[in-house]
Amino acid sequence: MAKKALITGITGQDGSYLAELLLSKGYEVHGIIRRASTFNTGRLDAIYDDPHSGKSRLFLHYGDLSDASALARLLGRIGPEEIYNLAAQSHVRVSFDSPEYTSDITGTGTVRLLEAIRESGIRPRFYQASSSEMYGMVREVPQTEKTPFYPRSPYGCAKVFSYWITVNYRESYNMHCSNGILFNHESPRRGETFVTRKITRAVAHIKAGLQQKLYLGNLDAKRDWGYAKEYVEAMWLMLQQDKPDDYVIATNETHSVREFLEVAFGHVGLDWRDYVEIDPRYYRPAEVDLLIGDYSKAKRQLGWEPRTKFVDLVKLMVDADIELLRRHRQGQIRVSS
């Protein structure tokens, strides 16, 4: 019988890649989606469009991390062997505008899910999506599993709470709960409000003559950027271990937003300085200046390491947005504005 997995946040970047991975491994995959008046499952189209994807083993359920009773009923009905908690209000800048909502979903939502698991009596393996934003004002370089946290946003604070409550349930109730401390990971499925996708989408539109300027905030912020499709493999590997643990997933390289601009615009023969302007509205009240992760523990214990280099990732994303725009202009698909 196929293993059952439940993914919260399945419609997001990571959730869609993880669903593809699990289906390729023969899983029956269940995902929680929020009810909306418009379709919000676009990232799952690749699964439905591929006749070999195993789409018949993909099931979507309406639910929300704010609704504990619904979570408990869903767990009892599905009985998953693995649960991946990827749902969150995940935009750092937005978390300053909506700190209570971010804390409720990104933080307290994890408690609701863990408590629903505990009370249901099932014994699944649990993955918590932790974040490099927990390090914030970094205490050491590079950051490891032992580096103290110093979050600099409501999102980072909520993720720190989720991290420690996951550890607490692991130690208090002998639950198989693991934290993946993922550093920035990007792809053509990244949301368009995140800086990397905002850049690559703008490059495609500027090259096509459809956009004149790109407005950004802090160009000197440095991040450890990897490929999301590879990072979900690490999530799965964590839940295949005999003992739960916490792992940094990163590339051990750091690059600035400015470097991202240079590669992205240079890939289509443009000089980013002719098109980019600074808008103070995009600055955060408290900035995270430098993130770089040491993934040696994941390499040693999981056998995982990143394969896609920074420059290749940027070019991959630019090419994908150019193709997306081409298909849109030919009327093959609809692209949101």
Side-chain angles (χ1 to χ4, degrees), residues 264-296:
F265 278 87
H267 186 48
V268 296
L270 299 177
D271 187 335
W272 68 271
R273 290 168 291 191
D274 295 332
Y275 304 97
V276 176
E277 293 189 9
I278 303 301
D279 187 335
R281 290 180 301 175
Y282 294 116
Y283 279 90
R284 301 175 184 177
E287 183 58 83
V288 174
D289 296 317
L290 170 65
L291 292 174
I292 176 170
D294 180 351
Y295 65 89
S296 57

Side-chain angles (χ1 to χ4, degrees), residues 231-248:
Y231 280 38
V232 300
E233 296 172 8
M235 300 177 187
W236 177 77
L237 285 168
M238 289 179 210
L239 297 200
Q240 310 317 304
Q241 307 306 303
D242 292 335
K243 295 182 179 180
D245 207 341
D246 309 313
Y247 300 89
V248 164

Side-chain angles (χ1 to χ4, degrees), residues 165-315:
I165 202 67
T166 298
V167 172
N168 183 260
Y169 270 67
R170 178 170 75 209
E171 295 177 350
S172 300
Y173 303 114
N174 194 31
M175 294 168 63
H176 195 296
C177 299
S178 295
N179 280 291
I181 308 173
L182 272 58
F183 281 63
N184 291 64
H185 45 291
E186 318 299 319
S187 76
R189 298 181 190 175
R190 188 60 142 153
E192 294 173 1
T193 60
F194 290 84
V195 66
T196 51
R197 184 73 195 292
K198 186 177 179 181
I199 291 169
T200 60
R201 186 176 183 274
V203 168
H205 283 71
I206 289 171
K207 184 66 176 178
L210 301 175
Q211 184 174 334
Q212 285 73 49
K213 293 291 182 181
L214 170 62
Y215 297 93
L216 297 173
N218 181 12
L219 304 188
D220 296 317
K222 293 182 177 180
R223 295 291 184 270
D224 184 323
W225 275 305
Y227 186 20
K229 191 172 183 179
E230 296 170 0
Y231 280 38
V232 300
E233 296 172 8
M235 300 177 187
W236 177 77
L237 285 168
M238 289 179 210
L239 297 200
Q240 310 317 304
Q241 307 306 303
D242 292 335
K243 295 182 179 180
D245 207 341
D246 309 313
Y247 300 89
V248 164
I249 304 299
T251 70
N252 201 30
E253 292 183 13
T254 189
H255 299 274
S256 66
V257 175
R258 195 182 306 273
E259 288 177 78
F260 198 105
L261 286 167
E262 290 172 354
V263 176
F265 278 87
H267 186 48
V268 296
L270 299 177
D271 187 335
W272 68 271
R273 290 168 291 191
D274 295 332
Y275 304 97
V276 176
E277 293 189 9
I278 303 301
D279 187 335
R281 290 180 301 175
Y282 294 116
Y283 279 90
R284 301 175 184 177
E287 183 58 83
V288 174
D289 296 317
L290 170 65
L291 292 174
I292 176 170
D294 180 351
Y295 65 89
S296 57
K297 179 180 177 181
K299 182 178 181 179
R300 184 174 65 252
Q301 294 185 203
L302 304 178
W304 181 91
E305 58 184 326
R307 301 184 297 275
T308 303
K309 296 297 183 182
F310 171 75
V311 170
D312 297 327
L313 173 62
V314 178
K315 292 179 179 179

